[in-house]
Amino acid sequence: MKTSSWFSKMIGTAMTLDNLENVLMLQLRDLYSAEQQLIDALPKMEEAASSPQLKQAFRTHLAETRQHKTRLEQAFRILRQEPTAETCDAMKGLISEGEEIVGLEGEPEVKDAAIIAAAQRVEHYEMAGYGCARTFARRLGRNEIAELLQQTLDEESNANELLTHIAEESVNVHAATA
Ligand SMILES: [Fe+2]
C-alpha cells in the first residue's frame, strides 16, 4: 500500500530535510487537502446531527473552513507555488470514521455525542498541523504566512472548544447510560 503522509511524500522527491521551507510547503499541501476533504464532509455531519446547536456549529465551521482553504491559497501565492493538494490520508481516515458514525442508527443525543467525538479528532489534527506550520513559517521569517496560519489555528481551536461546550451542555448523559 502506498503511504502518503506528508513525511513520506518527501522520500523520492527532490525535497530534502535540509530545507525547512520544503517542510512548510508539504505541511501546507497536506492541510490544503485536509480542508478540501472537510468542506465535503461537514454538510453530512450537519445533516446527521440532531442538536440545533451542533448543526449550527457545523454550518459556522463550514464557512470558516472555506476561509481556511482561501488562506492556504494566499500562503501558496506568497511562496510563489501553485496551490496543490496531495491527499491527506490521515484526514481521509478521520473523515471515514466520522462517516461510519453518521451512518449508524441510535438515540439522537447519543449519536450527537459520537459525532462530536469524531469532529474533535478532526479539529485536533488540524490544530497540530497548523501549529507546526505556523512555527515553521515564523522560523523562516515568513511572518505574513505565520499570521494567516495563526488566524486559522485560532478558529480551529475555537471550533474545538465549542464542541466541548456542546458536549457538556446539550448531550443528555442519561440517554448514554440508559
Ligand atoms: Fe480548517
Side-chain angles (χ1 to χ4, degrees), residues 31 34-35 38 61 64-69 72 91 122-123 126 130 152 155-156:
L31 286 164
E35 298 291 14
L38 196 55
H61 199 55
E64 287 174 342
T65 300
R66 292 200 174 103
Q67 185 64 32
H68 300 170
K69 191 180 159 209
L72 288 169
M91 184 60 112
V122 168
E123 290 314 312
E126 291 192 300
Y130 278 105
T152 297
E155 289 174 6
E156 308 290 16

Side-chain angles (χ1 to χ4, degrees), residues 45-55 107-109 111-112 115:
M45 294 171 87
E46 185 207 330
E47 205 186 318
S50 299
S51 142
Q53 214 188 346
L54 185 55
K55 280 180 179 288
E107 285 294 320
E109 283 164 330
K111 188 167 169 177
D112 277 358
I115 292 170

Side-chain angles (χ1 to χ4, degrees), residues 12-174:
T13 72
M15 290 189 174
T16 58
L17 278 175
D18 57 8
N19 184 338
L20 189 59
E21 189 155 308
N22 288 343
V23 181
L24 173 62
M25 182 63 58
L26 289 160
Q27 294 279 303
L28 295 179
R29 285 186 190 153
D30 185 82
L31 286 164
Y32 195 60
S33 164
E35 298 291 14
Q36 281 179 326
Q37 292 184 55
L38 196 55
I39 286 169
D40 295 335
L42 278 167
K44 296 176 204 163
M45 294 171 87
E46 185 207 330
E47 205 186 318
S50 299
S51 142
Q53 214 188 346
L54 185 55
K55 280 180 179 288
Q56 183 58 50
F58 286 138
R59 269 197 298 277
T60 304
H61 199 55
L62 176 60
E64 287 174 342
T65 300
R66 292 200 174 103
Q67 185 64 32
H68 300 170
K69 191 180 159 209
T70 303
R71 286 195 195 114
L72 288 169
E73 285 161 1
Q74 287 174 257
F76 284 119
R77 262 200 304 279
I78 294 166
L79 291 166
R80 298 179 198 285
Q81 297 282 333
E82 284 298 308
T84 50
E86 287 187 60
T87 304
C88 170
D89 283 345
M91 184 60 112
K92 208 169 159 182
L94 291 172
I95 286 174
S96 86
E97 284 184 5
E99 279 172 351
E100 263 178 55
I101 292 165
V102 160
L104 293 174
E105 299 291 324
E107 285 294 320
E109 283 164 330
V110 178
K111 188 167 169 177
D112 277 358
I115 292 170
I116 289 170
Q120 286 198 285
R121 278 172 171 74
V122 168
E123 290 314 312
H124 278 265
Y125 177 77
E126 291 192 300
M127 284 156 66
Y130 278 105
C132 282
R134 181 270 335 262
T135 300
F136 297 157
R138 272 188 198 152
R139 295 259 334 254
L140 289 161
R142 296 284 194 175
N143 295 334
E144 205 183 337
I145 294 174
E147 182 55 36
L148 287 167
L149 297 172
Q150 183 65 53
Q151 281 173 35
T152 297
L153 177 58
D154 290 344
E155 289 174 6
E156 308 290 16
S157 173
N158 289 341
N160 179 60
E161 279 173 29
L162 178 60
L163 289 169
T164 298
H165 176 76
I166 294 171
E168 284 169 351
E169 296 289 312
S170 62
V171 171
N172 182 350
V173 290
H174 300 297

